[in-house]
Amino acid sequence: MNKFHSAPILTRTDLIGRVDEVRRSGSRIVLANGCFDLFHVGHVRYLNGARELGDVLVVGVNSDRQVKRLKGANRPFMPENERAEIVAAFRAVDFVTVFDEPTVTELLLALKPDIHAKGTDYTVDTVPEREIVRGYGGRVAIVGDPKDHSSTELIETVSGKNA
């Protein structure tokens, strides 16, 4: 018996089926998303905060292509399959998927989670997908600690750019 937790990393099609199953059992579905390029305590607090909102936490991980678009040509540092595997190892996480669209809108529309959890670098009114979520009857929630941590700042500190 495996004593370590690891959530399944699923294709969107498989994920839709699994989410439909747990929804039929009455579970409240929460979706969190991010690049998760280099982990720091802010990621842990974000994922734990998201899980506290419901029964099942689904995490969408941005694809390598999208991380490069969002963060710059030198990113990501870890490939999407490794980033997804690390996210899947967190006890708070139930399902993981990698998404390749520029925003999480398509994943939201496919899963229709009860709650779309975003980090504290947003407010409920600044989440870009808020109207999509409200449109299907879901709600947006802000979770985690103040945005005092970032992979970019960690990289700058380690590389000596912030020294």
Side-chain angles (χ1 to χ4, degrees):
M1 183 162 128
N2 184 353
K3 63 182 178 179
F4 301 106
H5 168 84
S6 189
I9 302 168
L10 302 171
T11 65
R12 183 162 309 167
T13 301
D14 291 340
L15 179 61
I16 290 168
R18 296 290 293 274
V19 167
D20 286 346
E21 285 174 28
V22 295
R23 178 175 281 123
R24 282 193 300 274
S25 72
S27 295
R28 180 179 297 185
I29 313 301
V30 179
L31 175 70
N33 68 284
C35 296
F36 304 105
D37 196 13
L38 288 179
F39 275 84
H40 51 72
V41 72
H43 291 128
V44 174
R45 293 171 182 167
Y46 169 55
L47 293 174
N48 286 337
R51 176 53 191 258
E52 288 175 1
L53 298 174
D55 305 305
V56 175
L57 177 58
V58 178
V59 180
V61 175
N62 292 81
S63 70
D64 290 347
R65 185 168 71 105
Q66 293 306 324
V67 173
K68 186 175 295 299
R69 185 183 67 77
L70 291 166
K71 304 288 186 176
N74 295 330
R75 304 280 293 273
F77 291 106
M78 291 186 294
E80 62 196 39
N81 60 322
E82 291 179 14
R83 291 182 286 116
E85 185 176 342
I86 292 170
V87 169
F90 281 88
R91 186 174 290 124
V93 176
D94 295 292
F95 302 110
V96 178
T97 194
V98 175
F99 68 99
D100 191 43
E101 296 86 5
T103 70
V104 73
T105 297
E106 295 303 318
L107 187 57
L108 284 164
L109 290 171
L111 300 178
K112 295 186 174 70
D114 299 290
I115 301 165
H116 178 40
K118 296 297 279 185
T120 58
D121 45 337
Y122 292 94
T123 67
V124 170
D125 292 327
T126 62
V127 171
E129 305 86 13
R130 69 189 175 282
E131 294 307 320
I132 299 293
V133 175
R134 291 175 183 156
Y136 67 73
R139 75 177 177 93
V140 171
I142 306 302
V143 298
D145 64 349
K147 184 70 173 173
D148 294 334
H149 321 280
S150 83
S151 296
T152 301
E153 288 176 8
L154 182 62
I155 293 160
E156 289 172 354
T157 299
V158 171
S159 70
K161 290 182 181 174
N162 251 359

